[in-house]
Every structure is written in C-alpha cells, then in structure tokens.
Amino acid sequence: MMPRPAQREAGAGKAFRLLTLGELGPRQAAALVRESVWLKSRRPRVTRLAGRTMAMVFSKPSTRTRVSFEVAMTQLGGNAISLDGSSLQVSRGESLADTARTLSRYVDVIMARVYDHSEIVELADHASVPVINGLSNSFHPCQALADLVTIRERKGRLSGVRVAWVGDGNNVCNSLMHASALARMRLRIATPPGLGPDPATLKSASKRTSIDVGTDPQAAVEGADVVMTDTFSSIHDTDPERKRRLLRKYQVNDELMSLARKGAFFMHCLPAKRGEEVTPSVIDGPQSAVWDGAENRLHAQKALLLSILAKGAIS
Ligand code: CP
Ligand code: NVA
C-alpha cells in the first residue's frame, strides 16, 4: 500500500463511495433494485448524465464490468474512459492517492477494479468524486447488487428467499452476504474447510439475516430457491491448482441441483469454467439464469449511476 500523505486536498474522501454493499442501508438497496427493474422493463430514454464522464481503472481483466459500465454511461448520455492499470503512471510508481486527485479534476465518477481492497479504499480516500468498487480481492458489490435484481425479477420478492452458495468463500460470496443482509434473504454457504468467507462480514451480515456456513454442499442446497457458485480460482489466486483440488467436490451438477426446490434456478457471476465449478448441463440448461444475471449488471449500474450523479444521493 502507498504511504498516506500528511495532508489531503479539501473535499477528498468525502464524496459518495460504494466499496462494499455494507455501505448501503436496506432502503437504499431496495430503491436501487426497484429502479433497476424499472429501467429494464420500461427502457426509458434517460440522458441525465449528458456531459458527465466516468473513469474506469482496471488492474485486472474484465468483460462484463467494463462493458456494462461503459454502455450504462453511454445510454444515460454520458461517456466512460477505460484505463488499463498497466498503461497508467501507477505502473511506474505514481501513488494511487495522486492518481485519485488527478482523475477527480477531470471526471465525475471513478470505478476501479483492483487487487487488494486497501487500494480501492486508498483511491476513495483521496478522490473528491464518487468511487465505485468494480471488484477487489475481497468484495464485488456491483455483482451482488445485480444479483438482487435477478432474484427479485424471478421470485417477485427478496425477503425470505433461500440462497445457497457452493464453492469458494470469495469476494463474490462476501458481497452476497452483504446483499442477503440488506434484503433479508436466507443464505447457506458451503465451502471447503479453510476457504470460508470473510469472518467480519459474516458477523455483521448475520445481525440482519440468517447465514449458515458449513462444508456440505448437499446440506446448503437442500430446499434452496437459488443456487450460486463462482470459478474455483479467482484472478488474484496465487495457487489455482490448490484451489481446484480443494474445491473438486463443490461442483454444481444435476445431482446437486435436484436437491434444490422445484423451480430453483442457478446463478454464476461469470466467467465460468464448464466441467469445473459447474457442469454444462446446469449452466446451459433450463434452470440457468446466468445471461439474465449478466444483463442485469447493466440495469443495476444504470440505477446506481443515476442515483449518484443525477440525484446526488441514493435515497
Ligand atoms: N462478473 C464479472 O464481474 O465479470 P467480469 O470479470 O467479466 O467483469
Ligand atoms: N471471484 C472472481 C470473480 C470474477 C468476476 C474473481 O475475483 O476473479
């Protein structure tokens, strides 16, 4: 992590930030989900972000986050600039703090995909414009927000919906715990020993809803309305082979899906590795909601950007 300078610019770090979904309240999350569903169903022509620019900083690869945010800005009348971390001066040692200060003088909002979560905190602490986490090693709030939209549109409600997470207790799982707490979904997590979710997030999310953490995928999926998983090894994992070995028994296949409720559906943030964490029969089968899930990134992020930039707050 870069050293913290003694002085900050006036206004730095005071702007809105969405670094984890823990920063939202239940009413704000519900409003964003409602707005996303409305934007998706009505497809209104909204150009309220005309003249506004988003900087998107990517230290890691991305398909969905990059394209959905850029399209969101374009459809709302604004524009987005995609910046590859390796082509910025940070790659030559400029601090994230100075990068945040500089970008804040040009753009209206910064979205960044980083490695260590402290990097997005550092950006937000020194930016004077809103900062959105587009994935860190620890959290993926925009994914979880879109997941709420997908579940809401398929189930017609969120409260009481039973969600099973099978696999690595990773960044997507951590944000799902926040989302479950906000929407009062009942979450059961099955991970191999040692790959459980973030204990502090589990503790705080468990104050608002029921979250069970165990090691048995069958027990987690039994009676679930939604079954979710993610890739065995994340971008930041240093030993993908070890992860594959540990997670071998955590594949979502037809046998596992048969334990879920009738009408249950399957979600995956993507990218997926067929034959590893999920079989083609599930991800490409009738229970799969993955393409709706990918699309909903666009609608959820439009709602988020409108709230931050046009309304000035998430109400
Ligand atoms: N789900 C998701 O964030 O996808 P990308 O890594 O392609 O952005
Ligand atoms: N857990 C995955 C999510 C990718 C969208 C990763 O961090 O690589």
Side-chain angles (χ1 to χ4, degrees):
M1 204 168 102
M2 307 293 170
R4 187 171 292 247
Q7 282 193 322
R8 290 206 192 142
E9 287 196 343
K14 293 228 163 43
F16 174 86
R17 55 175 72 186
L18 187 70
L19 310 190
T20 79
L21 278 191
E23 278 139 9
L24 292 186
R27 284 170 56 179
Q28 292 174 310
L32 284 172
V33 171
R34 263 198 315 277
E35 175 92 350
S36 310
V37 171
W38 184 81
L39 287 166
K40 182 175 182 176
S41 62
R42 299 289 176 90
R43 310 267 165 170
R45 188 173 144 70
V46 184
T47 53
R48 290 170 72 192
L49 300 193
R52 314 295 280 279
T53 301
M54 163 181 254
M56 308 191 293
V57 178
F58 286 101
S59 302
K60 292 172 170 172
S62 167
T63 299
R64 281 143 288 268
T65 304
R66 175 179 175 154
V67 178
S68 58
F69 263 114
E70 181 160 348
V71 172
M73 282 301 286
T74 306
Q75 289 185 359
L76 295 171
N79 73 301
I81 305 170
S82 184
L83 302 160
D84 192 353
S86 63
S87 68
L88 291 174
Q89 293 284 19
V90 272
S91 65
R92 297 182 56 248
E94 185 171 23
S95 72
L96 288 170
D98 285 356
T99 305
R101 291 185 184 105
T102 304
L103 291 177
S104 298
R105 297 296 179 105
Y106 302 136
V107 305
D108 302 281
V109 55
I110 298 169
M111 186 276 292
R113 171 167 285 199
V114 299
Y115 280 89
D116 199 276
H117 191 73
S118 63
E119 293 168 30
I120 194 85
V121 175
E122 186 78 359
L123 275 172
D125 279 351
H126 296 277
S128 51
V129 297
V131 173
I132 299 170
N133 179 5
L135 180 142
S136 66
N137 292 359
S138 309
F139 297 100
H140 198 357
C142 298
Q143 181 64 50
L145 189 61
D147 290 344
L148 287 179
V149 176
T150 307
I151 297 169
R152 171 75 179 73
E153 72 182 355
R154 290 201 167 220
K155 296 293 297 176
R157 67 191 163 92
L158 289 169
S159 177
V161 172
R162 293 176 198 197
V163 181
W165 175 272
V166 176
D168 192 11
N170 64 11
N171 42 11
V172 177
C173 178
N174 289 335
S175 288
L176 179 65
M177 291 196 291
H178 277 142
S180 300
L182 287 170
R184 291 201 194 275
M185 300 190 300
R186 301 168 67 84
L187 180 60
R188 280 199 206 145
I189 297 171
T191 72
L195 292 187
D198 175 53
T201 307
L202 172 63
K203 192 173 170 200
S204 69
S206 296
K207 286 183 186 148
R208 268 193 62 84
T209 195
S210 145
I211 303 182
D212 291 333
V213 181
T215 56
D216 182 353
Q218 280 81 17
V221 169
E222 185 111 44
D225 299 298
V226 187
V227 179
M228 286 177 79
T229 190
D230 188 11
T231 177
F232 281 168
S233 74
S234 287
I235 302 165
H236 61 273
D237 280 328
T238 49
D239 191 350
E241 269 318 311
R242 176 180 163 267
K243 278 288 192 73
R244 276 192 203 103
R245 263 197 320 275
L246 291 171
L247 285 154
R248 215 164 21 89
K249 294 192 179 134
Y250 290 76
Q251 183 187 68
V252 179
N253 51 33
D254 290 319
E255 199 184 330
L256 194 65
M257 284 302 289
S258 73
L259 301 174
R261 269 193 177 173
K262 196 168 179 291
F265 54 95
F266 170 75
M267 292 175 68
H268 188 310
C269 64
L270 303 173
K273 286 217 169 128
R274 288 168 174 77
E276 288 197 2
E277 75 274 10
V278 61
T279 56
S281 59
V282 171
I283 193 169
D284 300 319
Q287 288 175 289
S288 177
V290 299
W291 306 118
D292 287 346
E295 178 184 336
N296 288 337
R297 292 292 303 276
L298 171 66
H299 307 297
Q301 288 156 198
K302 282 171 80 172
L304 180 64
L305 291 167
L306 277 174
S307 295
I308 300 171
L309 296 177
K311 299 179 190 163
I314 298 178
S315 50

